Amino acid sequence: MSNTLDKVKAIEEYIINFRRNLHENPELSGQEIRTQEKIMKELDILGIPYQKVGNTSLIAILKGGKDGKTVALRGDIDALPIKEETDVEFKSKTDGVMHACGHDAHASMLLGAAKILSEMKDEISGEVRFFFQEGEETFSGAKKIIEAGGMDGVTACLAMHGMPELETGYVNIEAGYRMAGCDTIYVKFEGVSGHGSVPHKAKDTIHPACIFVTDLQGIVTKNINAQDPIVLSVGKFIGGTKANVVSKYTEIDISMRYFNPEVRKIAHESINRHAKAIADAYELKVDVRIEESALSLYNDSELADLAEKSAIKVLGEGKNKTLPKYMGSEDMPYYFQHAKGVYAFMGYRNEEKEAIYFPHHEKFKIDEDYMKYGTALHVQFALDYLNQ
């Protein structure tokens, strides 16, 4: 095992205290002003130059003693609109806002990595960029960093997320699809209103819209390869104004999750085709609008192999556990469009500490012992990639 973990253990209290301060003072996506200020203050102390981008994001740059490649490490910083129901001493002081996804830990681990790497920059060949990213929960922050030139010249990137399926000290790093892409699809049928006693003199939209909703699962089973997972969920259905008035408009909001971009394309085409066919059958107009939320996350095989080797140096052999793909989404894949990347899941489960809840739960807790491993993995991966 490397001495990276020993270096992190020496500053573990620093990482934990910073995380607790962030946890006490959570800020929603795009509003992380105080969080940004706290990180800038620490970067100033470390002597790491940075650039403010987007609303509240930071790009910090550490140049090594020799020329070489450029690796980017990302930590998200935003909290959620959730009222905290834990009993920790550093409970949120902002009513209705909580770090219920562990981004306070992610940001603190990245800061810890910056501290360690800044103390050994003469040994580094190349450049390390630290992305302290706003708005992951709204899938907006990554785009802001990319638009500001954050990925220019970057050849590899790494991010991680704490997860309760793994005990503290374990990790999941696998090549291939790891998280789903997400689209929201808005479908609006338009007909002709009229009296409920003479529906034949109007053009109702509720009945055809109901047919469309039940037809959606036919797209999943008949148009999509069964080997490629996809989820279509209708979360909102609004139509009509009164019992005896034929509904002129009916609106449907659909959430779609997928992995394979080709499946996404087929689903989009099929939804448009089926909506139009049903509208034509009932002499209606229909509008289909597709809003991209996040892309599917795909780990590069070479980087996944390198990250696994880095994890062995930090955690020891046998600590990389297999996990199923997640249907949840992330905005990290936008970075992967510009450079190959890898995303790791770090275990924070500890039943004795009640660190058992999945992210976005009001009783969400982490085992803070896991942060030293995440910090060390950031450091080890950056060193292994730049110095290989």
Side-chain angles (χ1 to χ4, degrees):
M1 293 175 68
S2 72
N3 66 350
T4 300
L5 187 59
D6 290 333
K7 291 181 179 179
V8 175
K9 285 179 179 177
I11 65 162
E12 186 176 7
E13 186 177 354
Y14 168 84
I15 298 166
I16 290 173
N17 288 339
F18 192 82
R19 180 257 167 172
R20 291 186 175 187
N21 187 282
L22 293 185
H23 193 88
E24 273 189 319
N25 303 281
E27 295 174 297
L28 296 173
S29 304
Q31 302 174 27
E32 310 94 328
I33 297 168
R34 289 174 301 163
T35 302
Q36 184 191 52
E37 289 173 351
K38 289 170 186 173
I39 296 168
M40 288 191 296
K41 182 179 178 182
E42 296 303 317
L43 292 173
D44 286 337
I45 293 170
L46 295 175
I48 301 176
Y50 55 82
Q51 175 188 359
K52 295 166 70 172
V53 301
N55 297 314
T56 53
S57 296
L58 292 168
I59 300 173
I61 298 176
L62 180 68
K63 293 187 180 293
K66 305 172 188 173
D67 292 336
K69 297 173 289 187
T70 301
V71 64
L73 307 174
R74 184 270 239 160
D76 34 20
I77 64 174
D78 52 333
L80 287 158
I82 293 174
K83 183 176 177 61
E84 183 164 0
E85 295 184 11
T86 72
D87 56 0
V88 297
E89 295 176 6
F90 47 92
K91 188 174 179 177
S92 171
K93 293 178 180 177
T94 306
D95 190 48
V97 182
M98 176 190 178
H99 268 295
C101 202
H103 295 185
D104 50 345
H106 300 169
S108 301
M109 291 189 294
L110 185 61
L111 182 62
K115 184 174 176 64
I116 295 291
L117 288 166
S118 69
E119 294 168 355
M120 52 191 305
K121 62 183 179 182
D122 291 341
E123 303 171 36
I124 296 172
S125 298
E127 180 180 304
V128 184
R129 291 186 196 170
F130 306 93
F131 297 157
F132 294 93
Q133 184 206 299
E134 66 186 273
E136 187 282 322
E137 297 292 352
T138 55
F139 304 133
S140 60
K143 293 176 183 177
K144 287 181 169 60
I145 286 177
I146 293 165
E147 287 167 5
M151 287 298 289
D152 294 353
V154 173
T155 48
C157 46
L158 168 77
M160 60 185 68
H161 205 299
M163 281 298 182
E165 286 87 353
L166 298 167
E167 299 283 340
T168 298
Y170 288 84
V171 69
N172 167 258
I173 301 170
E174 293 181 56
Y177 291 113
R178 302 306 300 141
M179 297 187 78
C182 178
D183 292 326
T184 303
I185 302 167
Y186 303 93
V187 180
K188 184 176 183 179
F189 288 97
E190 179 182 345
V192 178
S193 61
H195 198 282
S197 64
V198 283
H200 62 288
K201 292 186 177 182
K203 301 295 180 188
D204 175 45
T205 57
I206 290 179
H207 177 69
C210 288
I211 292 173
F212 173 73
V213 169
T214 57
D215 188 54
L216 281 175
Q217 301 312 314
I219 292 174
V220 174
T221 58
K222 304 303 178 186
N223 292 136
I224 307 294
N225 186 331
Q227 301 295 321
D228 288 312
I230 184 171
V231 176
L232 289 174
S233 299
V234 175
K236 187 176 178 182
F237 187 109
I238 297 176
T241 56
K242 197 171 184 293
N244 65 347
V245 178
V246 174
S247 177
K248 181 175 181 178
Y249 298 106
T250 297
E251 299 180 35
I252 301 160
D253 293 3
I254 306 162
S255 175
M256 184 177 97
R257 306 271 175 166
Y258 68 93
F259 290 104
N260 189 335
E262 185 60 30
V263 165
R264 179 190 191 214
K265 180 182 176 184
I266 293 169
H268 287 179
E269 292 172 349
S270 299
I271 288 169
N272 273 290
R273 186 175 66 250
H274 283 234
K276 184 179 185 302
I278 290 171
D280 288 347
Y282 289 90
E283 302 174 282
L284 307 173
K285 295 178 183 177
V286 67
D287 176 68
V288 178
R289 182 168 61 89
I290 300 172
E291 181 181 275
E292 178 187 283
S293 296
L295 304 173
S296 53
L297 189 150
Y298 187 92
N299 277 347
D300 177 80
S301 58
E302 289 183 8
L303 281 189
D305 183 57
L306 179 65
E308 183 176 1
K309 291 174 181 175
S310 299
I312 290 171
K313 293 176 184 177
V314 170
L315 302 169
E317 294 281 356
K319 297 298 179 70
N320 187 15
K321 298 293 185 181
T322 299
L323 283 179
K325 297 188 288 286
Y326 285 101
M327 293 308 292
S329 302
E330 243 277 5
D331 71 353
M332 192 67 195
Y334 288 105
Y335 296 112
F336 291 6
Q337 288 186 310
H338 299 267
K340 59 185 182 178
V342 61
Y343 194 88
F345 296 110
M346 303 293 300
Y348 64 70
R349 187 176 187 86
N350 186 326
E351 295 189 15
E352 291 182 5
K353 297 180 180 180
E354 296 181 341
I356 58 175
Y357 297 100
F358 199 81
H360 295 218
H361 194 285
E362 62 272 10
K363 293 183 179 179
F364 175 87
K365 287 183 183 179
I366 63 165
D367 177 4
E368 290 178 319
D369 288 344
Y370 110 86
M371 291 196 293
K372 62 177 174 285
Y373 300 119
T375 303
L377 182 57
H378 272 307
V379 173
Q380 193 65 55
F381 176 82
L383 294 174
D384 289 345
Y385 176 74
L386 293 177
N387 295 335
Q388 65 180 346

